[in-house]
Amino acid sequence: LSWAEAVGLRAIFFDPKNIDVYRLMVDVYRDKDEPQNAMVVYERICSLQPTDVLNYLLYARSAADAGHIEKAEAVLKYAIALA
């Protein structure tokens, strides 16, 4: 657990709807080459902002980076339908 990840998780504990903290966590996980964790965070971001197409596109990219190709395709299809 890196310092940045620990601080981010603590911030989420105190403010679980703060999108900016989640976005920072995605950056932490991408820097650590942990696309699976980034994908989980994007899933949470999408649940908090369900009409933001860009979030779904980034979620799909993280899913693909994590090797979850079918999940990435499903999320992309959803983003297209949402747009």
Side-chain angles (χ1 to χ4, degrees):
L1 194 67
S2 71
W3 179 83
E5 185 178 9
V7 169
L9 291 173
R10 186 170 172 93
I12 288 170
F13 176 78
F14 286 107
D15 190 1
K17 293 186 179 183
N18 188 328
I19 295 293
D20 294 329
V21 175
Y22 286 104
R23 291 188 194 288
L24 289 172
M25 290 300 295
V26 167
D27 291 341
V28 167
Y29 290 134
R30 292 186 74 72
D31 287 348
K32 291 175 61 176
D33 194 30
E34 295 181 7
Q36 177 72 32
N37 288 334
M39 183 184 86
V40 171
V41 174
Y42 270 123
E43 187 172 15
R44 176 69 175 143
I45 290 171
C46 289
S47 73
L48 293 172
Q49 292 183 327
T51 59
D52 189 327
V53 174
L54 180 59
N55 289 334
Y56 287 99
L57 295 176
L58 295 171
Y59 177 19
R61 181 181 72 176
S62 290
D65 290 347
H68 299 279
I69 303 305
E70 290 178 8
K71 180 69 169 181
E73 288 176 357
V75 172
L76 279 176
K77 287 178 184 177
Y78 184 80
I80 291 168
L82 189 60

